[in-house]
């Protein structure tokens, strides 16, 4: 089924100047970018986005990292987009990420891991609504 998923290019990847290379991975996998914005997240925005992790030991570091510089947030659309996006990102920890995945090629650690992607269709719906209103999403066909 055609799905949408929420993708973030994190501050480390923006700083490395690999936004275009990561966009090429999305497009090469058949995912279309149907919404996008650059943003420097506030602490409150990052905490709200990652609220499900607030009891985890890494939460404070995660919020500090995600607010350390601008990110690019996008909605990707395509056949099986949620899983397809997770496949091309690779494992959360780049040490475990398969060769040729975005994290294997651009991430340096589990904390600075280049990209985020929704982990389910339910998360995607919540995460897309967190960053985009319906009028900011522009599919090629309607
Ligand atoms: P992300 O997909 O953005 O979701 C939460 C982030 O927390 C994750 O990517 C990692 O960058 C970061 N993180 C740090 N430590 C861990 C951990 N032990 N398990 C999962 N995520 C972690």
């Amino acid at each position: 089924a055609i799905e949408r998923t929420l993708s973030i290019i994190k501050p480390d990847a923006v700083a490395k100047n690999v936004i275009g290379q990561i966009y090429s991975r999305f497009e090469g996998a058949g995912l279309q970018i149907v919404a996008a914005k650059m943003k420097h997240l506030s602490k409150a925005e990052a905490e709200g986005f990652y609220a499900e992790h607030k009891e985890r030991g890494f939460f404070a570091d995660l919020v500090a990292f995600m607010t350390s510089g601008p990110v690019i947030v996008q909605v990707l659309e395509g056949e099986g987009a949620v899983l397809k996006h997770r496949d091309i990102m690779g494992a959360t920890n780049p040490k475990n990420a398969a060769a040729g995945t975005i994290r294997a090629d651009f991430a340096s650690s589990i904390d600075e891991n280049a990209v985020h992607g929704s982990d389910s269709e339910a998360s995607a719906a919540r995460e897309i609504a967190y960053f985009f209103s319906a009028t900011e999403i522009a599919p090629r066909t309607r």
Side-chain angles (χ1 to χ4, degrees):
I2 300 293
E3 297 171 354
R4 288 179 181 172
T5 192
L6 192 279
S7 156
I8 302 177
I9 300 180
K10 295 188 179 185
D12 58 324
V14 173
K16 283 181 186 164
N17 217 25
V18 293
I19 297 164
Q21 292 188 62
I22 292 174
Y23 267 27
S24 290
R25 304 290 180 97
F26 300 155
E27 293 175 342
L31 295 169
Q32 291 184 342
I33 298 155
V34 297
K37 60 176 83 167
M38 183 174 244
K39 247 177 116 61
H40 195 141
L41 300 179
S42 69
K43 186 163 182 271
E45 284 174 322
E47 286 174 345
F49 181 74
Y50 282 119
E52 69 187 291
H53 296 305
K54 66 175 183 291
E55 308 304 332
R56 306 287 295 272
F58 59 79
F59 185 69
D61 285 348
L62 173 61
V63 169
F65 169 61
M66 290 299 290
T67 58
S68 67
V71 299
I72 315 254
V73 189
Q74 47 278 320
V75 178
L76 305 178
E77 183 178 272
E79 184 65 33
V82 173
L83 263 182
K84 184 174 280 182
H85 182 221
R86 291 184 72 77
D87 280 349
I88 64 171
M89 285 196 298
T92 304
N93 188 337
K95 286 180 186 157
N96 303 325
T101 59
I102 293 168
R103 284 171 171 152
D105 291 342
F106 302 116
S108 48
S109 71
I110 191 169
D111 296 297
E112 303 202 359
N113 67 349
V115 283
H116 165 83
S118 307
D119 64 6
S120 66
E121 285 188 80
S123 297
R126 181 189 74 79
E127 293 179 1
I128 290 168
Y130 192 82
F131 284 116
F132 294 97
S133 63
T135 57
E136 292 178 307
I137 301 174
R140 315 296 162 81
T141 54
R142 48 166 97 222

